[in-house]
Amino acid sequence: MKTAIVASTLLFSLSIAQAQTKQADPKNYVSKVWVSDLGNGKYKNPVINADYSDPDAVRVGDDYYMISSSFNHVPGLPLLHSKDLVNWTIVTHVLQEQIPVDVFNKVQHGNGVWAPAIRYHNNEFYIYYPDPDFGIYVTRTQDVMGPWTAPELVYAGKGLIDPCPLWDEDGKTYLVHAYAGSRAGIKSVIAIAPMNAEGTKVTGNSVIVYDGHETDPTIEGPKFYKRNGYYYIFAPAGGVSTGWQLVLRSKEIYGPYERKNVMDQGKTKVNGPHQGAWVDTPKGEDWFLHFQDKDAYGRVVHLQPMKWVNDWPVIGIDKDGDGRGEPVMEYKKPAVGKSYPIATPVESDEFDSPLLGLQWQWQANPDGNWAMASNHGNLRLYTKQVPQDAKSLWDVPNILGQKFPADEFMATAKMTFKPNDKLENERVGFIVLGQDYSTLSVKSKADGLYLNYGVCNGAVKGKEEKETPVTKLKTNMVYLRVKVTAGGKCNWSYSFDNKNYINVGETFTALPGKWVGAKLGLYAVRDTQINDSGYVDVDWFRVEPIK
């Protein structure tokens, strides 16, 4: 019976993955708040000004595919596509649920999918991803749009992170990886393990090939390549927001490896430029995609020119000729042979599709009855009882969130609340969620509906939210809005006509979550359980420039 249940669950997940690719085509979406393509043959960084952290990418023909870490958010492992490395669209999620399922049915901030790697080998796509509490997994497909195979545990063990495979010319296969000190009790070292030819199982013990304790502390995130007889390990060192891009090379797989710092902040404002992917173009140009940590905005994606000098890569622009580049903020676009339309990851949503837009993720595995994606042009969220051990909304799984899309923007949701008459304290709202959070919500009471403003300082530490009544509502329909300005400064307001907005509360400074940026979220909750729920219909969610 257990086998049948697992098979049924897998088939359901795969059907969802296939269905996701058939919803409204996001390829023509252009953000109103951030576009990298300048329209004159140049681009500006970041190419994606949103939290697609730990990016890795691969070129197959004239198509580029990029993935990023997703931690506890579901669906996980977002997969993006581009033709020119500048204009990116999100096309699917590789994981429709996080395994082990029983673990990730509960919110697991900062756990789950850490830095992944994507490769194309023998006409098949491979994605390796680490879960620091369980080990390293692989999932495969011949069709990048899915379905992808159920994740297989390649290498079991706590603290094994940041994997990347290499298929050598002699038929041997290897996996490079790092260690998470929080689980393994060691960090700042890079190791290589042998794998079977299929790349599905490690066949021997890891061998530490580089120790960064003295010169390159917190080295991690390795990516494995081979060129001109050299094995190369690209790896960030020095810390997420403060480090540099290191490259190791050796003629032998297990070393010894030489080291070289090939890019750092230099005299730019781009802190900690590192961890990403070397890709080339069909015309022979080399480029590097990497992230920059921007606190509440998460880890945004930059694109840097790259060249090879004496069999060492130089990333960015090397102004003083020392072999170490620094990031560019504006540059000519990659020469890919033709021009492609401007495109960006989707943000706004009119909720006209029967499936959730690809920009949305839950805080844990959904159970299927949290939402109806298109109910006559609305997103319907059903109230769900908060977990008994929840201290605040930080611990609630059924928050539907998306990433901050730019440094400055305005997000508005049109919501109509229909509470269950037999319940009190059902609550629906809009939240900016991080280690602290703020929210505007509508709560049902015996005598009607009330608009409340909530702030939770120290949500990550189990602190409780402070909720302040704003006004009693005469209608069940309201527009909730947050304006986000430089530094993650958030100001809330509400309206009944989408024209006249009334400001609420003090300016709130957003904080990141656990390894992720702050989220814009929608939710519907209650504190008791009976045989039915109330619900909120979200007519639309729009991201626009501040006005």
Side-chain angles (χ1 to χ4, degrees), residues 174-391:
Y174 302 93
L175 187 74
V176 68
H177 67 89
Y179 291 93
S182 58
R183 276 78 163 182
I186 188 173
K187 64 176 184 176
S188 299
V189 296
I190 299 297
I192 294 173
M195 288 198 294
N196 60 8
E198 296 79 17
T200 57
K201 286 292 180 184
V202 165
T203 58
N205 292 330
S206 293
V207 175
I208 293 176
V209 297
Y210 187 76
D211 187 322
H213 281 94
E214 287 83 8
T215 56
D216 300 296
T218 320
I219 187 171
E220 57 187 355
K223 297 295 183 288
F224 221 170
Y225 307 97
K226 193 173 186 182
R227 177 187 182 273
N228 286 356
Y230 281 104
Y231 297 95
Y232 289 92
I233 300 172
F234 286 49
V240 170
S241 61
T242 56
W244 52 91
Q245 180 61 43
L246 193 73
V247 170
L248 311 173
R249 77 175 186 185
S250 175
K251 290 284 188 177
E252 303 294 332
I253 189 75
Y254 292 113
Y257 278 85
E258 305 172 81
R259 73 171 291 278
K260 188 175 180 61
N261 178 344
V262 299
M263 179 180 63
D264 58 23
Q265 181 172 348
K267 296 180 180 179
T268 75
K269 295 181 180 180
V270 182
N271 60 292
H274 57 55
Q275 185 148 339
W278 163 37
V279 291
D280 63 6
T281 70
K283 294 186 174 294
E285 292 183 349
D286 295 294
W287 295 84
F288 187 75
L289 290 154
H290 69 92
F291 74 68
Q292 174 197 11
D293 189 300
K294 291 175 61 177
D295 295 321
Y297 297 97
R299 304 176 194 178
V300 303
V301 182
H302 289 241
L303 175 67
Q304 304 297 338
M306 175 176 147
K307 62 181 180 181
W308 290 90
V309 179
N310 298 324
D311 284 324
W312 285 106
V314 179
I315 301 174
I317 298 298
D318 181 10
K319 293 182 178 180
D320 57 9
D322 66 353
R324 180 189 308 168
E326 63 180 46
V328 301
M329 294 309 298
E330 185 176 312
Y331 204 74
K332 63 181 179 181
K333 292 170 60 178
V336 293
K338 62 181 293 188
S339 296
Y340 291 94
I342 291 176
T344 64
V346 176
E347 301 149 353
S348 298
D349 202 333
E350 297 298 311
F351 301 116
D352 292 329
S353 169
L355 297 168
L356 282 172
L358 295 169
Q359 67 270 45
W360 298 106
Q361 295 172 295
W362 301 101
Q363 288 217 103
N365 287 330
D367 65 9
N369 63 11
W370 294 353
M372 184 175 182
S374 179
N375 181 66
H376 304 292
N378 299 297
L379 167 68
R380 177 164 289 184
L381 298 175
Y382 302 96
T383 64
K384 179 178 176 61
Q385 185 178 15
V386 299
Q388 290 185 351
D389 58 352
K391 299 293 192 299

Side-chain angles (χ1 to χ4, degrees), residues 44 47 166 190 206 211 223 274 388 415 419 443 451 494:
K44 65 179 178 180
V47 288
L166 178 73
I190 299 297
S206 293
D211 187 322
K223 297 295 183 288
H274 57 55
Q388 290 185 351
M415 310 176 77
K443 180 178 283 189
L451 182 70
Y494 68 97

